[in-house]
Each structure stands twice: as structure tokens, then as C-alpha cells.
Amino acid sequence: MVRLEQQRYFFERLNNPKWIQPLQKKGWFAKPPSPKRDEERGTIEFQEWPALKYLSRMAAHEPELVARVMQTIHAADNNPYIIQSFLSAALAMPPEIADRLTPQAVKLVQSPYIMRAHIAGDLAVHLARGGKENSALTLLRTALYVVPDPRSVAETLKTVDPNYQHEAQMRMPYYEYQLIIQRCGVELVKLLGISFVELLCTILEGTLSLEKRRKSGAKTIEDFSYIWCSNLSSLETTQSPKRFLAPAVLQYADVYASQGPEQLEKIRDVLANRSFKVFRRIELELLTRHHDFAGSALSEKLVDKDAFDDVALRYEYDDLSAKAFGMLTVHQQEQILQWIDDGLNLKLLVQRGFSEADAQEVSEKWQFERLTPVKEFLANSWKERYETLHDKYGDPLDRRLIRGGAFQFGSKSPKQLPELAEMSVSDVMEYLMTWRPNPNESLPFSPSEEGLGAVLTETVAKRPAEFSEQIGKLKETDPTYVRSAIQGFESAVRSKAVFDWTSVLVLALWVVRQPIEIPGRTGDHWTKDPDWGWARAAIVSLIEQGFREKAIPFALRETAWSIIAALVEAKEDIKELPYTDPDSQSKDIWSHSVNRTEARAMRIAVQYIEWCRNNLHEPHFSLASVPEAEKLLSNGLDTNIQPSLDIRLIYGELLPFLISIDRLWIQNKKFDIFPAEPEKQPLRDIAWVAYLTANYAYNAAFEDLSDIYLSAVQDMGKSRQVGSGHMVNHPEDGLIHHLMQLYWNGRIGLEDNGILDIFLKQASDELLGRMVTYLGRSLKETKELSNDEVKRLESLWDRSISWPDDSKHKRELAAYGWWFNSNHFEDHWALEHIYKSLQLSHGGFEPKLGTLERFMKLAEQYSKLVMQSTQLVVNADFENVILWHDDLKKILSIALKSGDLEAMKTARLVIQNLGTRGHLQYRTLLAE
């Protein structure tokens, strides 16, 4: 018997796929290693399977062979090593081959011992990209579904609530579960559309159903989500499925609804079919976010008395009112104001123990809170009434629970907001300088600098003008208060409040000139800021918001720039992402670029350039107009000064803007931004992929970068050093999208040895398939094409069906189904081309949903050609026949009655083949 160590040594060094079949004949892939169980200790030990790890590595080289072997493997013992190798192998295969392993993958992800479960999400994305939407959804449904808590309910709980059930549980570690949704969610919405959102809704509803039972006759079930998830916009890290899934449903429903009013209505239909009240809240939040095209839905919800009265919908209803009250008719506004005027039931309040005076006060406060969201739309009489209530009760309190339903450590303040609000600015400053936490009290649950700082932020946000006059005194206080005050000014900017920017920026300049580390500083981040780093980050946010709102006076240009330059040049954590460190290249560089203080400061340096252009009004503005910014940008390209990958990414991401500012500068710096030296490949790759990912293929940029594009085409297939993260997962896709945009618009053509010709000759079938699919999806979203655009696209299809070796282009040719179904091409021409494509791809057709819809519409006019094409599709994919039942039945019926002997013969053959595979329902067509 060969020992495990010997197996591992052999298979880890085996990199030739030609060994697969000999090893299979010898039985190396036949028997998984058995788990070792210790009944006394109650433990289980799983062993690696080196042979399967080798097979998984070979999946990228011989996917067809590996898939056949893996289909013979029965890995039902829940071995996490086997599951990981199996999913990784499927991920490395083309989607049409990986799809064959879906049934096994579905069984494997149900294991309670699964490791790196997020690979299941990656595999679902991979399948969806290949048009295997049903398989992707099946895999996701299995991986993400929740299960009941196996614990029994204590008798004491049953006495309180006989129907009590424990909260549902995730079947995998919560961080893996959340990683699948967070990392893959946006891509899955793009690929699967509303089906993915509907899946999340189903899982959330199932989660709630495990702990709630419908009351007899109730249409909507109260789930108390306004308590356990008061803030639907907060996608928190939690082991509670419902607390994570509710914000996730909102997030991805929002992504889908953002496409337009049609998509918003589809989402509303999905939500309307759900039983629990959280779905009503999500619908209201979506309408608030998309009130600009929500139409009559706004009035439908706002004039719904049940929604107005429902405490569970209160937060979302009020938010929608704040956005859409002004869009209602006068009559509808009066109806809502009448409900507010009616107030609360005073008799009921008295019955519950309130005095008449207290009941009146409670009702008035309620009226005040209901008027607050719509105060901007109130007519004179109502506005006077609101102001009277405001003078009487002050600013209304936000009665929402702590966001996410969790308690915040270290947030207790020695003075609450009303107390601090009543103090003069001088008294507040004195208090900040003199108050100290009690050393005898236990942190983080006692009053702290962090807690006082949070109250200070709110106070400054409400009185920014007063605080800006004495802001310099904060230099004598703790850094936590400086940061908190700056955050208060940022909030004030968002609300368009006016204050003295000069004193605020002077304080900010003082902060950025302080050493980040504070010698002798003690404490932790629960109670106070550990150093000046947090204040620096707050300053970046303040200036960023100031530029966005056009609030910073241009007279403060010099001060603003001094702050930005100091932040960019701080190099406080440059060690994290130098291009020379291989570990840096494995990180999520894009996330660092939008979160790390130095990189964020570089981004506001670019905002500064735009700010100057808008204020200088020079007829020929360029970087020469802002030499300080030009110097900073040039220094950022000097690796001796700035070697960070997350800084270099910004040059690629914002390249079109920089071209619009100073095209000549970009032309001169092109090879500094995209250096050719091999040792600087990470810098070149991250800038290039960021440019492709973040931008459209603009003509000016292509003219300046045509040689870079050509080099990228010639380097296809080579590894790109771009780190991790969903933004850079598929670096070649950006190149495909740019080339197709340029071709669509006539900027490049199919001429011999042109850039597109070279790409088409060098690209793999997988890349070409993604290219054709990208254009096909674009065609689906395009209403009209010019004659020139149609001719260019026809030329590309002509080229594809003229490949000399069809065996290497199945994926590409199958993807022309997207084009055929777009209806942008003349019927007979399109039929001839799809028939030829089907012949060459051996019946491959994408997408699977709606495959035969256009064939059915053309069946009467072109019965022979339609029937021949349908035969190729059906014979190649009997598994999905159930998806096409209605269209297929109509096509067969038309062909059998057409009188065309060839069409009738082909139809009979298709029906016979279907019958041999168990699809007997079509035989009745022969009798008819």
C-alpha cells in the first residue's frame, strides 16, 4: 500500500494530463480516502486525496477528460478536501463542460464540513456566464439555503410563546455564506437578472418561515424586522441569516431596479408575492431610492392608510415621504395631512394610564415627527404649525434602534446630545479639554472619548457656523474630538449648511502636519482614536464632500492643496502595497485604492484639478494651469517616490479624465503609466486593467493608447499581476469589451493584421465566446441599429462561420444565439447564419432560456430551415428540452402541417428522438 506522504509527493509533482487515463485504469480515482472516526472522543478526521488534487489541476488542460473521470467519482462522505478539489476543477472548465458536474456539485455543497465554500459562488458565476443559468441558480439555492436550529425549545420559552422557534441557521460558516453573496452578488444580478433577486427573496422568506407561523386569515406576517434590522441599508457581518439576507435582498434588488422603471416594477411584483413585512419595507426603500421613475407607485404607497399607520413601516414610509410628498397631487397631500391632523387616539392613551396633558403632549410630538419628513413641502399654515411644534419640542429624536440591531461598544458619552446642544461653544470646548474618563470604571462600557466624540459630531453638524469660529481650540483636546468635529463639518456640508471654511481647513492643515504616531498614546479603538490616522481619513472625506458640493471657496486654493499634498505624501502605510512585494499583488488592490487614506487623497487631488478648471475659466486649461497638481501626478509615476499599486491604479481608472484635461501630458507620460520593463509588470497591469474595467473605449483614449491595446492583444493568455477582488477577476473581459465597443462604432475594422484581426486569430474559444455573448447582450438592450452598425456586425458573424477548423470555436459559435434572438438581423439572413453556426457548433446554442422563441415565430414562413435548426439544438441538449416545451411543440406542429416534405421528415425524427429519451408528450402531434 502506497503511503499518503508518497502519494502526495508523486501527485504534487505530476503536471502532465496524459497520466489521467492510465491512472484511472489503475483505480486511483475510484475510491476516496475514508474518514477516521473516534467514537470515544466524538471526532472525525478527513484525509486529503492527492490523486483528486492532481485531477483538479489538470481540469484547465483537459477539461473534457477530467469531467468524464469526475462524473464517475462518488464522494458522498462529506470530505472537505474532496469538495474543494471538485469545485475548483469545475471552475477551471469551460461552462458547458462544468455544467455536467452540477448535480454532483449540488450534493457536495450540502456537506456540513465544507471548506472554502465561496468557490461554489464563483462556480455559479462561471456557469451563468456560460449561459447555464438554471444550473447556477440550482447551485446557489442549495449552497445558500438555511436550515432549522436543531436545538429543542426550552419549556420556559414555550410557556411564554407556545409557537416559539429558534432562529434558522446557515449550513456553512457564516463568513463563507456572506462571501458568496458579497463577492458574487453584483455579477449574478447582471447575469441572472431578477432570478437571482427572487432566489434571495425565497431564501429570506424560508428563513423567516422557520421561526414564524402565519396567523389565521393574515395576509402579511409581522416579522418585527424593524427591531432586528432597523437599518436595511447596513449589510452587516453576522451569524444571523435573516439579519444578513434582508439588507442583501435590498442591495441587489436596488442594483436590478437601477436599470429602469420596467425592472423596478418587476422587483415590486416579486416582493408583493412575499408574506413577511420586511418585503414591504424593502419595497418602500426601493421606491425612495428610485422615486424619479417610480411613477404612480409613489402615490399608491403614500396614500395607503395602513402603510401610514403601520409602525413596522414607519422609517421607510417617512423616508419615502421626504422624497416624494411633493410629487403628490394637492388632494393626496391634503389626505395625508388630515391623517396627521387627526393625531393619536387621546381616549386610548388616557385608558393606558396617561394624564390628559401627557396624552396631548404625546399626540403633538407624534404629529411633529410625522410633519418633519415633509416640512419642505408644507404650505404656509402647516409650515407655521410645524415651526410652532419645533420651537416647543426641539429637533425630533431619531427613534431607530442602533443600526443593525447591535449594541455599539465604546460609544457611551458622559453628556447626551440635548445636554451638549444647550451649552455654548466655549463651554463645549472647555468641557472637551477638561473631562477625563473615570479610571475606576470598566471600559469599554463606561463613558469614553469615543462616546463623547460621537455626540460632538452631531452637535457640530447642527451648529457648524458657531463651531467654526472657535475650531482652533480643538488643538488642545484629544485627537478623537478633532476627528469627531471634522466628521460633524462633513455632515454639515452634506446638508448644505454654511460655515467658515478657512478656520476648518487651517485646523485640517495643522492635523496633517502632525506625526501620525503619538508617543506614549494608550487606549484602544473602542474608547479613543489610537493616533492621528483617523482624523486624516476624516479630513479626506470632508474635502471630498466639499469638492462634490462645490462648497469650498476657491480663495482657499492654496490651503486646500497644502492639505491634499501632505496627505498624499504621508506614506504612512506605503509598506502595504509596493509593487516589488509579491504579497501586495495578491491583495484586493481596488479596495485599498478607495479606502486607504493616501490613495483616497490622490483621488481628491484629481478632484482638485477639476475644481480649479471650473473656477479658473481658462480657455485652454491644462495641467500647466495647476503646476502643483502636475508635480504630484508626475511624482506619483516615479517608483522611487511612489511605488504603491493602489496609487498606480488611479491613473488607469481616471485616464479619460486626465486626457480631457491635458492630452499632451498623457501622451508624454504614457509609458510611465504603463511601463514596459518586466520588473514593473504589476504597475503596468494594475493601471491597464483598471483603465479597461472603469471606462468606455473613448476614441481619444484609443488613439493615444493604440500601441498599448495592440500589446495587450499580443500578450493575451499571459498572467496579469492585478491582485484579487471582483473588479479584476477577469482582466481579459475589459479588453474584449473595449475592442467590441470600438468595432461597433466603426473605430476599428476586420482588416488583415489589424488589431481586431490579431485578437480574433489569437483568442481562445472561451474568450471569443465571451466576446460574442457581450455583443449579444448589448444587442438585446439596444432598440435600434444604424445600417452601418448592422453591416459591421454581419461581417463579424460571417467571419465566425468561415473558420477552417470548427472544433476550436464551439463556444463562440453557440453564443450567436444571443444575436439571432435579438431580432436586429433580417429573418432569412439570420436563419441561414444561425443554422450554419449550429452545424459548426454541433447544436450549441446560448442562451438556454428563450432559445426557440424566434424559431417558433419564423416556423410558418421558413419551416424547413427552422426545423433543421431546431433539430440541431434539441439533439445537442435533451436536458433542457423542458425549458422549451411550448415553443418546441408549436414548431413541430407547424412543420408537420407545412407540406414541406423535408420539414415534416425532420419533425418526425425529432419527435422519435424525444420519445426515446422519455419525452413522450410530443407523440400526440403525429396523430394530429
Side-chain angles (χ1 to χ4, degrees):
M1 181 67 182
V2 181
R3 294 182 178 180
L4 180 62
E5 292 79 8
Q6 294 171 319
Q7 292 183 43
R8 187 181 293 116
Y9 182 87
F10 173 75
F11 283 109
E12 283 181 354
R13 286 158 179 77
L14 188 60
N15 291 307
N16 191 331
K18 292 183 178 179
W19 280 78
I20 295 176
Q21 289 179 315
L23 288 167
Q24 185 185 22
K25 290 179 181 179
K26 290 293 184 179
W28 281 97
F29 307 122
K31 188 177 181 181
S34 300
K36 296 180 180 180
R37 300 179 184 272
D38 189 325
E39 300 298 341
E40 291 185 6
R41 297 182 179 179
T43 62
I44 181 171
E45 178 186 345
F46 295 104
Q47 294 184 349
E48 290 186 340
W49 192 4
L52 186 62
K53 289 183 72 175
Y54 155 73
L55 196 63
S56 180
R57 293 201 314 274
M58 296 302 102
H61 305 286
E62 288 289 347
E64 186 76 42
L65 176 58
V66 170
R68 286 203 303 269
V69 174
M70 297 190 83
Q71 283 178 296
T72 67
I73 294 174
H74 300 285
D77 59 358
N78 293 322
N79 188 320
Y81 298 109
I82 293 177
I83 298 170
Q84 184 176 336
S85 295
F86 196 96
L87 295 177
S88 298
L91 191 58
M93 300 172 182
E96 62 271 16
I97 298 177
D99 188 42
R100 301 175 202 165
L101 302 178
T102 302
Q104 288 166 279
V106 167
K107 292 180 181 178
L108 290 172
V109 297
Q110 298 179 49
S111 166
Y113 306 111
I114 190 169
M115 296 189 307
R116 293 176 59 80
H118 62 269
I119 300 177
D122 297 335
L123 179 57
V125 171
H126 185 57
L127 291 168
R129 283 201 186 106
K132 307 296 181 182
E133 290 94 344
N134 284 343
S135 295
L137 287 167
T138 300
L139 184 61
L140 287 167
R141 185 179 298 110
T142 306
L144 297 175
Y145 220 78
V146 298
V147 294
D149 190 321
R151 297 174 300 165
S152 60
V153 178
E155 291 300 323
T156 52
L157 285 174
K158 288 183 179 179
T159 59
V160 177
D161 181 1
N163 295 322
Y164 177 84
Q165 300 290 330
H166 289 306
E167 188 174 328
Q169 293 183 335
M170 301 170 183
R171 281 195 298 208
M172 63 182 70
Y174 73 93
Y175 49 84
E176 295 274 15
Y177 188 98
Q178 294 170 19
L179 190 59
I180 291 175
I181 295 178
Q182 289 176 330
R183 188 165 75 168
C184 305
V186 173
E187 185 76 3
L188 288 169
V189 173
K190 292 179 181 177
L191 294 168
L192 301 175
I194 198 169
S195 297
F196 176 63
V197 182
E198 195 163 12
L199 172 63
L200 292 181
C201 289
T202 300
I203 296 171
L204 175 57
E205 187 165 44
T207 302
L208 296 172
S209 297
L210 289 174
E211 57 180 282
K212 297 289 179 185
R213 296 182 183 177
R214 183 190 295 273
K215 293 181 180 179
S216 178
K219 293 182 179 179
T220 303
I221 305 173
E222 178 57 78
D223 50 34
F224 300 102
S225 62
Y226 64 99
I227 295 176
W228 51 258
C229 187
S230 64
N231 181 14
L232 284 171
S233 299
S234 177
L235 193 63
E236 62 175 312
T237 299
T238 172
Q239 297 190 47
S240 167
K242 64 182 182 183
R243 293 185 188 183
F244 175 76
L245 284 166
V249 169
L250 171 60
Q251 177 181 352
Y252 298 117
D254 185 31
V255 172
Y256 183 79
S258 298
Q259 300 175 43
E262 182 180 347
Q263 286 75 16
L264 176 60
E265 281 306 301
K266 288 181 180 179
I267 286 290
R268 291 187 64 219
D269 289 341
V270 168
L271 296 172
N273 291 325
R274 306 293 165 174
S275 304
F276 290 94
K277 198 163 285 185
V278 68
F279 296 103
R280 308 289 87 76
R281 294 180 60 207
I282 292 171
E283 180 186 15
L284 288 172
E285 177 63 27
L286 286 175
L287 291 175
T288 302
R289 295 185 182 190
H290 305 291
H291 64 280
D292 51 335
F293 56 72
S296 61
L298 300 175
S299 57
E300 173 192 329
K301 292 299 176 184
L302 289 178
V303 298
D304 181 344
K305 185 65 161 59
D306 290 337
F308 176 85
D309 289 333
D310 196 332
V311 66
L313 307 180
R314 173 70 178 276
Y315 306 142
E316 289 73 30
Y317 182 94
D318 283 354
D319 288 345
L320 181 59
S321 298
K323 291 285 187 181
F325 189 83
M327 299 179 176
L328 302 180
T329 65
V330 173
H331 174 72
Q332 290 167 337
Q333 291 180 354
E334 289 175 348
Q335 177 66 74
I336 296 171
L337 292 172
Q338 181 61 55
W339 295 337
I340 297 174
D341 189 43
D342 291 342
L344 298 178
N345 188 327
L346 298 181
K347 290 183 179 180
L348 184 60
L349 289 174
V350 171
Q351 290 173 6
R352 291 179 176 176
F354 287 89
S355 67
E356 291 186 3
D358 288 343
Q360 183 63 43
E361 181 177 332
V362 169
S363 182
E364 281 189 351
K365 285 183 177 179
W366 177 87
Q367 291 172 321
F368 175 45
E369 290 173 355
R370 301 313 298 261
L371 286 172
T372 298
V374 301
K375 62 184 179 182
E376 302 297 331
F377 308 105
L378 296 176
N380 290 338
S381 60
W382 275 101
K383 186 168 289 187
E384 289 174 5
R385 183 171 175 180
Y386 171 80
E387 293 297 340
T388 300
L389 291 171
H390 183 273
D391 293 341
K392 185 174 182 180
Y393 296 114
D395 291 333
L397 296 176
D398 184 355
R399 298 188 181 276
R400 301 189 192 211
L401 300 179
I402 295 171
R403 292 186 172 228
F407 292 101
Q408 295 178 336
F409 292 133
S411 60
K412 192 171 182 180
S413 174
K415 283 191 179 294
Q416 299 308 307
L417 182 60
E419 297 176 274
L420 216 62
E422 292 176 358
M423 297 170 63
S424 68
V425 175
S426 296
D427 289 344
V428 171
M429 293 296 179
E430 181 65 25
Y431 187 75
L432 296 176
M433 285 186 275
T434 57
W435 181 82
R436 296 292 182 273
N438 186 340
N440 297 320
E441 292 185 338
S442 175
L443 294 172
F445 304 104
S446 60
S448 65
E449 293 91 340
E450 171 64 27
L452 180 55
V455 177
L456 176 64
T457 296
E458 293 187 63
T459 305
V460 172
K462 296 178 184 299
R463 300 160 58 190
E466 294 178 59
F467 274 90
S468 64
E469 294 175 359
Q470 300 186 45
I471 196 67
K473 293 182 180 180
L474 283 175
K475 296 177 185 179
E476 303 173 43
T477 69
D478 190 272
T480 308
Y481 305 140
V482 178
R483 184 259 305 168
S484 300
I486 291 170
Q487 290 175 329
F489 284 112
E490 182 197 348
S491 296
V493 175
R494 292 179 186 275
S495 61
K496 298 179 172 52
V498 177
F499 56 85
D500 179 14
W501 273 92
T502 303
S503 57
V504 174
L505 292 187
V506 167
L507 175 67
L509 183 59
W510 176 81
V511 171
V512 299
R513 287 175 174 172
Q514 303 304 306
I516 295 177
E517 300 293 334
I518 303 175
R521 181 78 166 172
T522 60
D524 58 57
H525 63 278
W526 293 115
T527 57
K528 59 184 178 182
D529 292 5
D531 51 36
W532 284 108
W534 292 14
R536 287 168 174 264
I539 289 168
V540 172
S541 298
L542 171 65
I543 296 178
E544 183 179 46
Q545 194 64 33
F547 283 153
R548 185 177 292 124
E549 298 289 345
K550 299 180 175 58
I552 303 176
F554 193 60
L556 297 176
R557 171 182 175 180
E558 184 176 345
T559 306
W561 180 254
S562 297
I563 296 168
I564 295 169
L567 288 165
V568 173
E569 294 165 359
K571 297 181 173 53
E572 74 277 13
D573 49 6
I574 195 90
K575 59 185 179 182
E576 286 194 17
L577 291 160
Y579 76 96
T580 54
D581 182 0
D583 288 341
S584 294
Q585 296 152 30
S586 66
K587 295 180 179 179
D588 187 346
I589 299 168
W590 211 300
S591 292
H592 277 268
S593 186
V594 296
N595 289 298
R596 193 168 69 93
T597 300
E598 185 182 347
R600 292 179 62 207
M602 190 68 171
R603 291 175 178 275
I604 61 171
V606 179
Q607 281 186 281
Y608 169 87
I609 296 171
E610 184 175 21
W611 180 61
C612 289
R613 181 183 64 178
N614 294 340
N615 283 280
L616 290 173
H617 305 294
E618 294 181 357
H620 303 292
F621 183 87
S622 69
L623 289 178
S625 306
V626 280
E628 65 277 23
E630 192 281 330
K631 181 181 178 182
L632 187 72
L633 289 174
S634 295
N635 287 344
L637 296 173
D638 185 338
T639 54
N640 293 317
I641 299 174
Q642 182 54 265
S644 294
L645 289 166
D646 60 350
I647 296 287
R648 185 58 59 100
L649 178 146
I650 297 169
Y651 287 85
E653 179 187 356
L654 303 180
L655 190 68
F657 171 76
L658 293 174
I659 289 176
S660 72
I661 292 294
D662 197 328
R663 189 172 183 179
L664 181 60
W665 188 86
I666 290 294
Q667 291 170 348
N668 292 332
K669 298 289 185 179
K670 176 171 59 176
F671 294 110
D672 292 322
I673 298 172
F674 307 109
E677 297 93 326
E679 66 273 14
K680 294 182 180 179
Q681 183 187 346
L683 292 170
R684 177 176 68 252
D685 286 352
I686 195 63
W688 177 244
V689 173
Y691 162 69
L692 293 175
T693 303
N695 297 291
Y696 186 81
Y698 298 105
N699 286 343
F702 176 69
E703 290 173 7
D704 293 338
L705 303 177
S706 58
D707 49 350
I708 309 292
Y709 275 97
L710 179 59
S711 177
V713 168
Q714 294 169 338
D715 288 343
M716 277 193 313
K718 294 183 180 179
S719 177
R720 291 280 186 186
Q721 298 181 31
V722 292
S724 63
H726 71 280
M727 294 294 286
V728 292
N729 269 348
H730 300 281
E732 301 292 5
D733 282 0
L735 179 61
I736 292 171
H737 296 171
H738 274 231
L739 292 178
M740 290 304 96
Q741 291 162 15
L742 292 164
Y743 178 70
W744 184 306
N745 293 326
R747 192 67 186 81
I748 60 175
L750 289 169
E751 62 277 1
D752 288 344
N753 296 319
I755 189 171
L756 186 54
D757 179 62
I758 296 171
F759 169 81
L760 295 173
K761 289 176 180 176
Q762 290 190 189
S764 66
D765 184 36
E766 173 65 22
L767 283 181
L768 292 173
R770 300 214 297 262
M771 174 195 79
V772 176
T773 300
Y774 170 70
L775 286 173
R777 291 182 182 275
S778 300
L779 285 167
K780 184 180 179 182
E781 301 298 326
T782 302
K783 292 184 178 180
E784 294 183 4
L785 291 175
S786 67
N787 290 333
D788 288 341
E789 289 170 336
V790 171
K791 288 178 181 177
R792 280 194 289 275
L793 293 169
E794 287 178 345
S795 297
L796 187 58
W797 198 346
D798 284 335
R799 176 174 176 134
S800 291
I801 61 175
S802 66
W803 288 115
D805 184 3
D806 65 279
S807 65
K808 296 180 181 178
H809 296 276
K810 292 180 181 177
R811 172 80 175 83
E812 171 194 358
L813 292 159
Y816 277 105
W818 289 97
W819 294 37
F820 177 74
N821 282 345
S822 72
N823 294 313
H824 281 297
F825 304 96
E826 190 273 327
D827 290 343
H828 190 259
W829 185 94
L831 266 175
E832 289 183 328
H833 279 66
I834 199 63
Y835 178 55
K836 179 64 174 176
S837 299
L838 289 167
Q839 286 179 310
L840 296 173
S841 67
H842 305 294
F845 191 102
E846 300 294 341
K848 294 305 179 189
L849 293 176
T851 294
L852 301 180
E853 183 178 354
R854 192 179 184 195
F855 284 127
M856 184 269 292
K857 294 177 181 178
L858 298 176
E860 290 189 7
Q861 188 174 1
Y862 304 103
S863 55
K864 175 183 174 181
L865 198 51
V866 166
M867 198 59 247
Q868 289 173 330
S869 300
T870 301
Q871 181 185 36
L872 290 170
V873 173
V874 172
N875 288 350
D877 194 358
F878 282 100
E879 288 183 11
N880 286 305
V881 165
I882 191 172
L883 300 176
W884 316 321
H885 176 266
D886 292 342
D887 291 337
L888 178 57
K889 187 175 181 180
K890 183 70 173 177
I891 292 169
L892 291 169
S893 177
I894 292 172
L896 289 170
K897 299 174 183 177
S898 66
D900 186 305
L901 295 179
E902 292 227 17
M904 296 166 68
K905 178 181 177 181
T906 304
R908 285 193 291 270
L909 286 173
V910 170
I911 293 172
Q912 290 168 6
N913 283 337
L914 287 168
T916 61
R917 287 166 172 80
H919 300 282
L920 305 180
Q921 64 269 38
Y922 299 97
R923 290 186 175 181
T924 57
L925 294 174
L926 295 174
E928 291 172 6

